[in-house]
Amino acid sequence: MYCRINQENNDIAYAEYQWGNLYRSFNATSTWPSFDYLVDDMWEDRKNWSAPLALTPGNNQVIYFGTYRVWKSSQHGNNWMALSEDLTDGGNNSFNTITTLAVSPMNENYVLAGTA
């Protein structure tokens, strides 16, 4: 689904697989361990079939992930914190989720989220 390459170090790459399963590689080719298990709350969130993953332009240590709320990690995905509450209408299905994320290239404090 979503794949992101760190523009500051192209050996670091991230991939999102069905239903928000996150993978990360520090050698960008052979080793892709899962890292979404690091945050229980994020793992239990409603996620879209293709849950969005975004890197911050100019600061690729900061990544964002969308469930029904926006999550942020400032350490390549090692630590996560929820930035928002539920941005959808709630519910218990994948239609009430974030479908796209974008970080402003002008000001990294602005993160846009589109929802279903």
Side-chain angles (χ1 to χ4, degrees):
M1 304 293 186
Y2 280 87
C3 297
R4 299 291 182 247
I5 307 296
N6 185 309
Q7 298 300 302
E8 297 162 351
N9 179 350
N10 61 9
D11 283 335
I12 303 172
Y14 306 92
E16 182 271 336
Y17 183 65
Q18 303 166 353
W19 303 113
N21 292 289
L22 296 175
Y23 297 88
R24 168 183 62 194
S25 178
F26 288 109
N27 60 14
T29 55
S30 60
T31 308
W32 288 87
S34 173
F35 70 101
D36 51 6
Y37 65 89
L38 295 171
V39 181
D40 289 336
D41 289 344
M42 184 173 70
W43 179 247
E44 295 174 6
D45 278 7
R46 282 186 319 275
K47 296 175 206 71
N48 196 277
W49 166 257
S50 179
L53 182 64
L55 295 178
T56 301
N59 185 1
N60 287 175
Q61 287 189 38
V62 179
I63 60 177
Y64 294 89
F65 182 65
T67 61
Y68 61 81
R69 51 187 166 175
V70 177
W71 289 86
K72 177 183 179 180
S73 172
S74 58
Q75 297 176 334
H76 297 289
N78 287 330
N79 298 306
W80 291 92
M81 65 183 216
L83 292 183
S84 71
E85 296 297 321
D86 191 341
L87 298 178
T88 71
D89 287 333
N92 292 322
N93 61 52
S94 63
F95 296 109
N96 302 92
T97 57
I98 295 173
T99 58
T100 190
L101 285 174
V103 183
S104 170
M106 303 300 288
N107 184 338
E108 69 180 60
N109 293 316
Y110 290 101
V111 179
L112 303 174
T115 64

